[in-house]
Amino acid sequence: MVNGFVCKDPKLVEANDFSFSGLHLAGNTSNALGSKVTPVSVSQILGLNTLGISLARLDYAPWGINPPHTHPRATEILTVLDGILLVGFVTSNPENRLFTKVLQKGD
């Protein structure tokens, strides 16, 4: 066990442990939040174990939201492929300062 995930026996590792298919598929946004997160982390790509890497596809309906959440000791990078997205984050204590920005396609 490393980082809470079982390490695969190196003799059993295969190419599929280093890839993920499906980010080209739009998520179903017909829910109360109007959004769908498709995560890709060590749960989906076993070869990411111990690397501290993950990514996600986020799909939004018009006026959809991704509720406030935290990423302790992690970084989030967004790329807008289509539309406009209001994003923001709050710094840690003691200031709890809010930063917001409107991202356009390509940002």
Side-chain angles (χ1 to χ4, degrees), residues 26-61:
N28 182 356
T29 59
S30 60
N31 55 58
L33 298 175
S35 65
K36 171 62 176 163
V37 177
T38 303
V40 183
S41 65
V42 67
S43 296
Q44 292 76 31
I45 302 177
L46 298 177
L48 293 178
N49 198 11
T50 75
L51 297 179
I53 299 171
S54 64
L55 63 101
R57 174 185 173 136
L58 286 81
D59 291 284
Y60 295 96

Side-chain angles (χ1 to χ4, degrees), residues 3-95:
N3 297 333
F5 296 94
V6 175
C7 291
K8 191 170 185 177
D9 183 335
K11 292 178 233 144
L12 301 176
V13 170
E14 55 188 53
N16 285 336
D17 295 330
F18 300 95
S19 68
F20 175 83
S21 296
L23 289 179
H24 65 290
L25 302 172
N28 182 356
T29 59
S30 60
N31 55 58
L33 298 175
S35 65
K36 171 62 176 163
V37 177
T38 303
V40 183
S41 65
V42 67
S43 296
Q44 292 76 31
I45 302 177
L46 298 177
L48 293 178
N49 198 11
T50 75
L51 297 179
I53 299 171
S54 64
L55 63 101
R57 174 185 173 136
L58 286 81
D59 291 284
Y60 295 96
W63 303 105
I65 63 166
N66 187 9
H69 58 283
T70 63
H71 293 280
R73 297 168 305 283
T75 300
E76 183 171 284
I77 297 175
L78 302 169
T79 302
V80 177
L81 299 179
D82 191 29
I84 299 169
L85 186 63
L86 172 63
V87 298
F89 67 93
V90 178
T91 63
S92 301
N93 289 330
E95 292 183 29

